[in-house]
Amino acid sequence: MRPLQMTVGLLAVGSSALAVIAVGTVLATVPVLGLVAAVPLTATSIRVGRALYRFAIEQTPTDRERFYIQALLVEKDPAKEIRAYRLAPFLRRRFASLYEGRIQALRRLVRRRTAQGVAGES
């Protein structure tokens, strides 16, 4: 009876050892796979951040002009001169033109980023 119990015990220890090794391998592999998956996501995030930064830098002069025109159109102090010189239609057209340019540039950026994202996923 004792040899049978010893054999069953040794098989149980061996089985448990294999289970521990298998679980340890899986637990060690999951973080590695997570790191491998994080590398492309991080690189993509960095590229997107740089593209948005470049966009903001490129748009700074036109944004300043838009904000200045907007201030002229909505504030009370310049209203007399704008009415006197009939500048409101010109200023509105200029503001709309600058805003449309910004929207077009943003659309180009989004299209380019979307195309790069789709190409990166496949």
Side-chain angles (χ1 to χ4, degrees):
M1 188 71 167
R2 294 278 186 207
L4 179 64
Q5 288 175 344
M6 195 165 99
T7 305
V8 170
L10 284 175
L11 288 174
V13 168
S15 174
S16 297
L18 285 177
V20 167
I21 291 171
V23 169
T25 303
V26 168
L27 290 176
T29 305
V30 169
V32 172
L33 291 177
L35 289 174
V36 169
V39 170
L41 292 174
T42 303
T44 302
S45 296
I46 290 171
R47 277 188 302 217
V48 168
R50 287 180 180 166
L52 291 174
Y53 179 77
R54 279 192 306 273
F55 175 78
I57 295 297
E58 291 169 0
Q59 292 298 313
T60 298
T62 56
D63 284 346
R64 286 182 182 160
E65 188 176 351
R66 273 188 322 108
F67 293 143
Y68 179 70
I69 292 171
Q70 182 179 8
L72 287 175
L73 290 171
V74 299
E75 290 179 6
K76 185 177 180 180
D77 290 339
K80 293 176 188 176
E81 292 178 9
I82 290 174
R83 275 196 306 265
Y85 295 112
R86 296 184 180 144
L87 292 174
F90 168 76
L91 292 174
R92 280 196 299 262
R93 281 193 309 273
R94 181 67 182 149
F95 180 84
S97 170
L98 291 170
Y99 195 73
E100 183 61 29
R102 178 181 176 78
I103 296 298
Q104 291 299 323
L106 187 58
R107 283 183 181 146
R108 282 192 302 273
L109 175 69
V110 169
R111 249 185 257 119
R112 190 170 49 246
R113 297 304 312 153
T114 302
Q116 289 173 346
V118 169
E121 287 180 2
S122 49

